[in-house]
Amino acid sequence: MSAAGFELTIGQLLRAPAQRNPDQTIHDGEGGVRTYRQLHARIDQLGAALTRLGLGRGATIAVMDWDTPRYLECYFAVPMLGATLHTVNIRLSPEQILYTINHAEDDAILCHEDFLPILLPLLPRITRPATLILLSDRPDAPLPPGFAGEFERLLAAEAPGFTFPDLTEDTRATLFYTTGTTGDPKGVTYSHRQLVLHTLGVVAAFGPVPGRGGIKTDDVYMPITPLFHVHAWGYPFVATFLGLKQVYPGRYEPARLLSLLSGHRVTYSHCVPTILAMLLAAPEAAGTDLSHWKVTIGGAALPEGLALQARAKGIDIHAGYGMSETCPIICLADMAASQTSDDIKLRTATGKAAPLVTLRVVDPDLRDVPHDGRTTGEVVVRAPWLTHDYLRNDAGTAELWAGGWMHTGDVGHMAPDGTLRITDRLKDVIKSGGEWVSSLALESLASTAPGVREVAAVGVPDDRWGERPVLVTVIDGDDAVENTIRARLERAVAAGELPKWAVPDRVVRVTAIPKTSVGKLDKKRIRQMLASGEIG
Ligand code: AMP
């Protein structure tokens, strides 16, 4: 490889932090700690151990684990070998997990003992013979039959100082499956170059934010988006590149997460709205100081009620936007403007394009709609870190990239200053009397009524109007909360923020709203439940 043609590979992200502050620490949720110096040595040992097992360039290596520092080591060692890291979504059904393992043609599976009850019954139906490696938090964990070794024992057998191969930047680095609610999961891949550029793009977006905002080198990072979901939105690469203190929480339990947040004085995290709502509703939250915490909310719109609740706890909260196919970050709320203004909408807006990203809102012929903050269209995007194709799915790829732009499947509008607001997913739009009703706007408004814990707006068939919106809610309190929701919506109509026909005829109270495998409101399931009379 020529020295002049420098390749952007994931291994390069490790150099600076290990040299600058090798004693910086990375923690697990059980009190375990390692330094960046040790991280480096362990990545070498993992590289050596996998190589000894015959796994290297061209192999696909699956991981089924909680969020652990060990997973972070896989994030680096596997791609640095020229292999592909397949981050298995452990929340999918066993049949879907089997589908993804077979579709990915995994050559090895690293599986935490907690997930053996899922994996072991699937083994006879896994089509490609895979090397099996046990992940355990107990040094004496017994090896199940057919397993090649246990992670820690394999590492202990290797000396540090492994030399990883030279790679070209277009080498495939990662693979995971979309969590869409329809059809088979689709395989999404990223190259080394894309992950490095995404890392630099995120640093360029978060670094220059004034004051304590954004991400600084003295921040303490803890992911609350699982490491299997779009590489925890790329932040483990960002945090490692910046040499931050990092905390990997293990399994997500509210009391445990809150105790880690305060015990380590975590200053930066990211999660979907439902997880933050769950944390803030936990009894332990009342006594936990979260005023040092900055949170990026993504994966779904940030409802105004949740943003206000977070602000009341002193949390510096903002929305971010992206999808599995976009690595994922393509758009962020204006973290600078919100430092000097109390306007909550600055924090909940989908925001402005991230560095190097071009966002457009277009009509079906790919023509830009006016940037008037009102006219809606589909959001399409170009950026250096968008997935090139779905794995072995030409029809899906052609649809994703129709006309040379990546189609997000999201509907939104853009203001004259370039601020994007997503109003719906194309699949979830509600059309009443021929007019679109924004389910996200309804949810955001209803979320501000005190006592509303969760809310989803969906369309139900209607003879007269085609479809009518229905609000499905989890409410703490009595029926008065329902009246407050109605009053809020009527006020928004009076203020011209919401068309009259958008006010739902029905508010349905439930004890829990179904969620997808990554904790988002499962609107397909909610519609089915309304249609079958299971709720309503
Ligand atoms: P996934 O591929 O599972 O990460 O889901 C991506 C989808 O989540 C997007 O296409 C949007 O519909 C939704 N989403 C993510 N972030 C936001 C946001 N800030 N506002 C509204 N919707 C969002």
Side-chain angles (χ1 to χ4, degrees), residues 210-399:
R212 286 287 314 127
I215 299 179
K216 310 287 189 240
T217 49
D218 58 353
D219 272 319
V220 179
Y221 166 68
M222 182 169 92
I224 321 185
T225 305
L227 268 77
F228 65 72
H229 187 219
V230 204
H231 341 100
W233 301 347
Y235 287 101
F237 290 120
V238 171
T240 306
F241 176 60
L242 292 176
L244 306 190
K245 175 180 168 184
Q246 306 185 50
V247 183
Y248 286 86
R251 58 165 89 203
Y252 293 178
E253 290 150 349
R256 174 195 180 86
L257 293 172
L258 286 162
S259 141
L260 290 169
L261 282 174
S262 87
H264 285 289
R265 261 196 102 67
V266 171
T267 57
Y268 182 78
S269 298
H270 45 82
C271 59
V272 292
T274 49
I275 295 272
L276 180 65
M278 180 186 83
L279 282 182
L280 295 181
E284 296 82 3
T288 309
D289 174 14
L290 295 175
S291 60
H292 47 83
W293 200 30
K294 296 174 279 190
V295 178
T296 302
I297 293 291
L302 168 57
E304 199 166 310
L306 182 62
L308 289 167
Q309 218 187 322
R311 291 301 293 143
K313 288 285 285 177
I315 300 170
D316 190 13
I317 189 167
H318 291 94
Y321 166 62
M323 53 197 279
S324 300
E325 293 83 345
T326 63
C327 205
I329 295 171
I330 49 174
C331 190
L332 290 158
D334 192 336
M335 292 175 281
S338 67
Q339 304 287 314
T340 51
S341 162
D342 287 334
D343 183 358
I344 200 73
K345 292 198 164 42
L346 282 172
R347 295 172 180 274
T348 60
T350 317
K352 293 187 177 166
L356 300 179
V357 176
T358 307
L359 283 175
R360 294 172 60 206
V361 179
V362 298
D363 68 16
D365 297 318
L366 268 180
R367 286 181 307 228
D368 290 276
V369 304
H371 292 183
D372 55 8
R374 267 180 307 128
T375 312
T376 55
E378 189 188 4
V379 180
V380 296
V381 58
R382 280 182 181 168
W385 47 76
L386 309 183
T387 195
H388 289 178
D389 41 34
Y390 290 123
L391 189 65
R392 294 200 302 283
N393 180 346
D394 292 344
T397 301
E399 205 179 315

Side-chain angles (χ1 to χ4, degrees), residues 43 85 99 109 171 187 246 260 264 292 338 515 535:
I43 289 170
L85 175 72
Y99 174 88
I109 305 172
T171 305
Q246 306 185 50
L260 290 169
H264 285 289
H292 47 83
S338 67
K515 312 275 178 357
I535 57 172

Side-chain angles (χ1 to χ4, degrees), residues 382-460:
R382 280 182 181 168
W385 47 76
L386 309 183
T387 195
H388 289 178
D389 41 34
Y390 290 123
L391 189 65
R392 294 200 302 283
N393 180 346
D394 292 344
T397 301
E399 205 179 315
L400 182 69
W401 279 105
W405 288 81
M406 181 180 277
H407 291 252
T408 63
D410 290 314
V411 178
H413 52 66
M414 197 173 272
D417 71 352
T419 300
L420 174 73
R421 187 171 275 276
I422 303 292
T423 54
D424 253 310
R425 253 189 108 50
L426 264 175
K427 282 188 251 169
D428 294 330
V429 291
I430 306 170
K431 213 165 190 185
S432 178
E435 303 283 349
W436 276 359
V437 173
S438 166
S439 68
L440 299 186
L442 279 178
E443 289 163 9
S444 192
L445 281 164
S447 73
T448 63
V452 173
R453 198 196 284 211
E454 286 180 14
V455 54
V458 294
V460 294

